[in-house]
């Protein structure tokens, strides 16, 4: 993807790298860590994030091969500016034992089927619902935020064995979830190039 990087972003990454050594990470992991840290100005994400390079490589290929991108909320979609996304939250309704966010995930899966990249940055119940489906995702970026259910839903994601980006703490949110997807979207096709 051809992308012009603004000088402010370049300087921000220079300062980030001066404070955090990311050189030991494999290329796509490094790209995700740096973009998430950059989006939150939170260096602790470098040790809080959990991902696997091989899974990221497959997800990268799926993303650049045109796999659908599904998001849990419009705020995540707003952060992914160079790719169309699917968000069904406006069509969803809450019901007994089902949050609106969980219903939106069901609706999105009915629309896109297996093989999508799922980006969840808001609702732990959206991530929990995704784990009940046979979605066969290319990747789940599970970074919901909060004190109720966020840690547990992310732990369940890691235990599921699905290809994933998650984190251990309560932290997360729309900005970091979209940043993780953008890292894969913006990363050059040649892994030897430096991520910006």
């Amino acid at each position: 993807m051809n992308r012009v990087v603004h000088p402010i972003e370049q300087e921000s990454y220079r300062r980030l790298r001066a404070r955090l050594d990311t050189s030991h990470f494999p290329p796509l992991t490094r790209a995700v860590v740096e973009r998430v840290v950059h989006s939150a100005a939170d260096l602790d994400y470098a040790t809080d994030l959990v991902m696997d390079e091989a899974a990221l490589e497959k997800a990268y290929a799926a993303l650049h091969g045109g796999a659908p991108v599904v998001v849990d909320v419009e705020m995540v979609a707003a952060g992914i500016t160079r790719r169309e996304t699917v968000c069904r939250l406006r069509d969803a309704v809450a019901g007994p034992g089902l949050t609106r966010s969980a219903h939106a995930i069901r609706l999105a899966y009915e629309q896109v089927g297996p093989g999508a990249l799922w980006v969840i940055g808001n609702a732990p119940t959206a991530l929990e619902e995704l784990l009940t489906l046979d979605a066969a995702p290319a990747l789940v970026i599970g970074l919901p935020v909060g004190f109720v259910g966020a840690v547990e839903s992310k732990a369940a994601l890691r235990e599921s064995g699905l290809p994933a980006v998650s984190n251990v703490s309560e932290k997360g949110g729309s900005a970091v979830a979209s940043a993780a997807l953008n890292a894969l979207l913006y990363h050059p096709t040649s892994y030897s190039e430096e991520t910006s």
Side-chain angles (χ1 to χ4, degrees):
M1 160 169 275
N2 293 331
R3 179 173 171 265
V4 177
V5 180
H6 193 280
I8 292 172
E9 184 177 341
Q10 291 176 338
E11 176 61 13
S12 182
Y13 271 86
R14 188 196 66 74
R15 292 183 186 192
L16 181 159
R17 291 173 181 146
R19 294 177 59 184
L20 178 67
D21 181 10
T22 60
S23 63
H24 62 284
F25 289 119
L28 291 173
T29 299
R30 180 181 184 190
V32 172
V33 167
E34 287 185 349
R35 193 153 289 280
V36 167
V37 167
H38 175 260
S39 73
D42 185 344
L43 300 175
D44 290 341
Y45 272 111
T47 55
D48 191 39
L49 288 165
V50 179
M51 67 198 95
D52 173 74
E53 185 73 6
L56 293 179
E57 289 172 1
K58 290 177 183 173
Y60 180 90
L63 178 64
H64 290 274
V69 176
V70 180
V71 299
D72 63 331
V73 293
E74 293 291 343
M75 286 298 291
V76 174
I80 303 169
T81 58
R82 296 187 181 255
R83 184 66 183 268
E84 290 296 317
T85 61
V86 173
C87 182
R88 296 297 302 274
L89 191 60
R90 290 182 186 196
D91 305 316
V93 292
L98 185 71
T99 66
R100 191 168 159 236
S101 295
H103 186 228
I105 294 300
R106 287 185 190 178
L107 293 173
Y109 178 64
E110 290 171 6
Q111 179 178 339
V112 303
L117 288 89
W118 296 79
V119 188
I120 298 175
N122 184 60
T125 58
L127 182 52
E128 291 165 1
E129 183 63 25
L130 179 59
L131 295 177
T132 69
L133 302 174
D134 188 21
L139 183 70
V140 179
I141 296 174
L143 295 168
V145 62
F147 295 113
V148 179
V151 168
E152 296 83 358
S153 66
K154 290 181 274 193
L157 172 59
R158 290 189 299 278
E159 291 165 11
S160 74
L162 294 174
V165 173
S166 69
N167 68 312
V168 177
S169 73
E170 294 96 348
K171 294 189 298 188
S174 298
V176 297
S178 60
L181 188 280
N182 286 338
L184 299 178
L185 195 58
Y186 299 159
H187 195 69
T189 54
S190 168
Y191 289 171
S192 64
E193 294 178 46
E194 189 72 32
T195 304
S196 59

